[in-house]
Amino acid sequence: MEILAFGVQSDEKPLIEKAFAGKHEVRCLDVFLNRDTAPIAAGYEIVSTSVNADLGGAVLQALAAGGTQLIAQRSTGFNNIDLDVAERLALRVARVSYYSPYSVAEFAWTLAMAANRRVIRAASRTRDFDFRLDGLLGRDMHGRTVGVIGTGKIGEAFTRIAHGFGMKLLGWDVAENPACVELGMRYVDKEQLLAEADLVSLHVPLLPATHHLIDKDALALMKDDAILVNSSRGGLIDTSALVVELRAGRFLGVGLDVYEAEAGLFFLDKSLEGVDDDTLARLVTFPNVIVTSHQAYYTEDAVGQIIDATVKNVDDYLAGRRSENVLVPARPGA
């Protein structure tokens, strides 16, 4: 069985090939799956995709027409997949339901502290041998208040780090996490969290109910000198509203590893092209904003676990087994 893997990064390719060695052949492509590239999958029963793949109705129809029966996505999130269409087309869809939460939690803290201590500005200056401290004043995290929106596995890992800093812990979620409560977290409504937190970090999935969870009203509730971090999904923040607030001089710092219009941009080299996304172009000009390219998950540990889970999803499909990773059965009702 030969498997076609889309959107494979250069660091990821040898890990994928090693994981499938002795079991299946795997063809790794650096292009992402979308309407233009979907025809490449013709004749492949199993296709593996990355988090930024376009798995809308048109792409799914093209895959099904080409004989694809299993889509094994190498991510936890699946907001890019039209599951209703997949089920109607009798496509089996599997994801990775778990990988190291520390990868994302630690990176979220990297963004928070880089924004707080002006690390990007400082590093840029010293490259020019400018060693002034003007404009680099940060603040201690100890004793300040962190607001964690979403306290699942990643949110819990983020909270444990915040507890290590000696911060006051506020949480918001549909259900309380006992481990976070044990650390001293106090669960409050979203409005109170936003109003009281010095640092707000987002760790909820992107669903219809969470789309633009941080909109203009939510941003208005936050402290003028707060730090906002998003390492989950770009669509959680109304980016246009965020730009308005930034132009007004608000927020000590903003760290974004995700962006709501990142498809077609992130994971690609656009350095020699003109990017026509005016909102993103404006975002990266603010000195208190850090934008990274959806890399929070990108550690050896997490990527290894993602690939191992993907191999297992393929093995389960071929053996006719179901697991918690399956989002859509091979046949409706199966």
Side-chain angles (χ1 to χ4, degrees), residues 35-87:
R35 292 190 183 196
D36 294 330
T37 60
I40 301 174
Y44 287 90
E45 182 177 341
I46 300 173
V47 168
S48 178
T49 60
S50 61
V51 65
N52 267 4
D54 173 4
L55 286 165
V59 174
L60 292 173
Q61 289 174 5
L63 291 178
T68 297
Q69 297 184 38
L70 170 67
I71 299 168
Q73 177 142 298
R74 303 187 306 280
S75 75
T76 297
F78 52 91
N79 54 283
N80 61 319
I81 308 172
D82 191 326
L83 299 180
D84 292 334
V85 172
E87 186 159 10

Side-chain angles (χ1 to χ4, degrees), residues 4-10 12 27-34 36-41 47-54 74 266-268:
L4 182 62
F6 283 95
V8 178
Q9 303 297 312
S10 58
E12 188 183 13
R27 178 186 176 194
C28 294
L29 303 179
D30 59 2
V31 298
F32 295 94
L33 178 61
N34 54 39
D36 294 330
T37 60
I40 301 174
V47 168
S48 178
T49 60
S50 61
V51 65
N52 267 4
D54 173 4
R74 303 187 306 280
F266 281 24
F267 304 139
L268 299 172

Side-chain angles (χ1 to χ4, degrees), residues 310-324:
T310 301
V311 173
K312 184 178 184 302
N313 287 339
V314 170
D315 290 342
D316 285 346
Y317 162 75
L318 294 173
R321 295 188 297 262
R322 289 287 304 276
S323 75
E324 70 280 1

Side-chain angles (χ1 to χ4, degrees), residues 148-153 155-156 171-181 185-188 203-204:
V148 186
I149 295 183
T151 56
K153 292 182 176 68
E156 179 187 330
W172 179 85
D173 208 329
V174 293
E176 296 185 2
N177 183 333
C180 292
V181 173
M185 174 170 280
R186 182 163 55 96
Y187 280 84
V188 296
H203 300 287
V204 293

Side-chain angles (χ1 to χ4, degrees), residues 67-150:
T68 297
Q69 297 184 38
L70 170 67
I71 299 168
Q73 177 142 298
R74 303 187 306 280
S75 75
T76 297
F78 52 91
N79 54 283
N80 61 319
I81 308 172
D82 191 326
L83 299 180
D84 292 334
V85 172
E87 186 159 10
R88 190 162 64 247
L89 294 171
L91 285 167
R92 180 162 173 155
V93 180
R95 61 159 178 165
V96 177
S97 59
Y98 175 86
Y99 62 85
S100 168
Y102 308 108
S103 59
V104 178
E106 290 172 4
F107 194 81
W109 268 107
T110 300
L111 290 175
M113 293 307 295
N116 175 36
R117 301 306 300 268
R118 317 298 196 195
V119 172
I120 305 300
R121 183 184 299 179
S124 177
R125 282 185 184 179
T126 55
R127 286 180 181 273
D128 294 327
F129 299 102
D130 179 352
F131 300 104
R132 292 172 300 156
L133 297 182
D134 295 344
L136 303 182
L137 188 67
R139 61 190 185 188
D140 292 355
M141 287 288 104
H142 179 83
R144 299 189 186 274
T145 299
V146 63
V148 186
I149 295 183

